[in-house]
């Protein structure tokens, strides 16, 4: 995968959860019911997107074209 394509994929994957957790879109799911796993739906929504983001970032790390390169810091 080319570096430019990877960077654009990274930006898209990190922006989707951000946009779903900010004010205008979060208001669509900000409800006390239904209760899922003992949590109000809004708490479950936030935890779900944290987990999805975590998994997506692990996948992005695994496909990172620069992860095996040695570089000077």
């Amino acid at each position: 995968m080319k570096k430019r394509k990877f960077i654009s994929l990274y930006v898209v994957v990190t922006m989707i959860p951000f946009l779903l957790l900010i004010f205008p879109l979060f208001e669509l799911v900000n409800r006390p019911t239904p209760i899922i796993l003992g949590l109000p739906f809004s708490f479950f929504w936030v935890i779900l997107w944290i987990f999805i983001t975590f998994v997506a970032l692990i996948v992005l790390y695994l496909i990172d074209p620069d992860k095996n390169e040695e570089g000077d810091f």
Side-chain angles (χ1 to χ4, degrees):
M1 176 178 292
K2 295 188 179 193
K3 183 70 174 172
R4 187 167 180 87
K5 185 176 179 182
F6 176 77
I7 290 174
S8 62
L9 180 64
Y10 180 81
V11 168
V12 168
V13 166
T14 55
M15 288 304 292
I16 290 173
F18 174 72
L19 292 174
L20 289 171
L21 293 175
I22 61 175
F23 172 69
L25 296 176
F26 184 71
E27 288 299 318
L28 298 173
V29 298
N30 191 11
R31 301 184 186 123
T33 56
I35 302 296
I36 300 174
L37 300 173
L39 299 170
F41 186 70
S42 59
F43 286 2
F44 176 76
W45 181 259
V46 171
I47 292 170
L48 175 70
W49 280 105
I50 289 171
F51 180 74
I52 290 171
T53 305
F54 174 71
V55 171
L57 289 176
I58 289 175
V59 170
L60 284 173
Y61 173 75
L62 294 174
I63 65 171
D64 185 3
D66 290 339
K67 80 173 180 182
N68 292 330
E69 290 183 12
E70 292 183 22
D72 295 329
F73 294 106

